[in-house]
Amino acid sequence: LMAGGKGERLRPMTLTTPTPLLEIAGKAIIDYNVEALAACGITDISVTTRYLAEQIERHFEKPVGDVMVKCVCEDSPCGTIGAVALTDAASDPDGNTLVMNSDLLTTISYEDMYLKHIEDKADITVASVPYMVSVPYAILMTDGNHVNSIEEKPTYTYQANAGIYLINNSLLNTLKPGERIDTPELIERAIADGRRVSFFPISGLWMDIGSPSDFKQAQELMRHHHDLTH
């Protein structure tokens, strides 16, 4: 789980607390993810830290979801995936590693994502969420200087990166410790090298807690969920 960012869009809340430790319905955001992974039987969990790292390290001095989480601190910013090279996550060359942002709320099925990753024989599987773009104008479909058709206020749906990845360790092991690299660059490298990149659409909840409005919405959502289950 990547937890080194400064969470600047969530200031002033993140001036004294790293985003993963902000509480939603009385629980740290990152703990929802650790507990979900632990519920799948995953016991080897590492968190990469940098900003206010000591707070995250103290948080994980006790087990979460009955798992003792390991913390690895970046000496310098390594981008959105470079810090994985500082961990022992890819020690099994034939295995796969789940890499994800720690400031997400999601009900993704990690088991189904893994099964699709194996079925597709993928080097990287990217979890995705639908993102719709509505154009408030009539769009011309053109061929050179000619208009072939006109579409009134169309809506386009794209698959957006959800910040959750299953990656073959053979690919992760190409990362160099201390190298600064973002996940899109690693994906582009994989495509350029002829590796197989797949995607897994998330059918359940997915929220990126990246802004005050996201945080407020997540609080309301989890409060409603708590009311329904009690």
Side-chain angles (χ1 to χ4, degrees), residues 57-98:
E57 290 166 3
R58 283 199 303 270
H59 180 78
F60 286 115
E61 287 176 354
K62 296 180 181 180
V64 173
D66 294 327
V67 173
M68 287 302 301
V69 174
K70 294 172 283 187
C71 293
V72 179
C73 186
E74 304 173 45
D75 291 329
S76 58
C78 294
T80 55
I81 200 167
V84 175
L86 304 176
T87 75
D88 59 1
S91 57
D92 176 4
D94 299 319
N96 299 279
T97 298
L98 180 80

Side-chain angles (χ1 to χ4, degrees), residues 2-8 10-22 30 47-61 71-75 77 102:
M2 314 301 284
K6 293 182 178 180
E8 292 178 343
L10 280 165
R11 289 181 176 177
M13 290 186 292
T14 51
L15 288 174
T16 55
T17 304
T19 303
L21 295 188
L22 293 177
I30 195 170
V47 174
T48 62
T49 65
R50 179 166 170 76
Y51 178 67
L52 300 177
E54 65 284 352
Q55 291 190 33
I56 298 176
E57 290 166 3
R58 283 199 303 270
H59 180 78
F60 286 115
E61 287 176 354
C71 293
V72 179
C73 186
E74 304 173 45
D75 291 329
S102 61

Side-chain angles (χ1 to χ4, degrees), residues 20-35:
L21 295 188
L22 293 177
E23 292 192 351
I24 301 289
K27 183 187 297 185
I29 297 169
I30 195 170
D31 285 358
Y32 285 101
N33 295 311
V34 172
E35 290 175 359

Side-chain angles (χ1 to χ4, degrees), residues 145-157:
N145 294 325
H146 301 286
V147 175
N148 293 329
S149 63
I150 185 168
E151 190 172 357
E152 185 69 26
K153 298 179 180 179
T155 296
Y156 303 101
T157 301

Side-chain angles (χ1 to χ4, degrees), residues 24 43 49 66 71 77 92 108 116-117 139 146 148 187 195 226 228 230:
I24 301 289
T43 57
T49 65
D66 294 327
C71 293
D92 176 4
I108 185 175
K116 187 173 190 300
H117 179 73
I139 297 300
H146 301 286
N148 293 329
I187 293 172
R195 292 180 179 261
H226 180 81
L228 288 177
H230 288 79

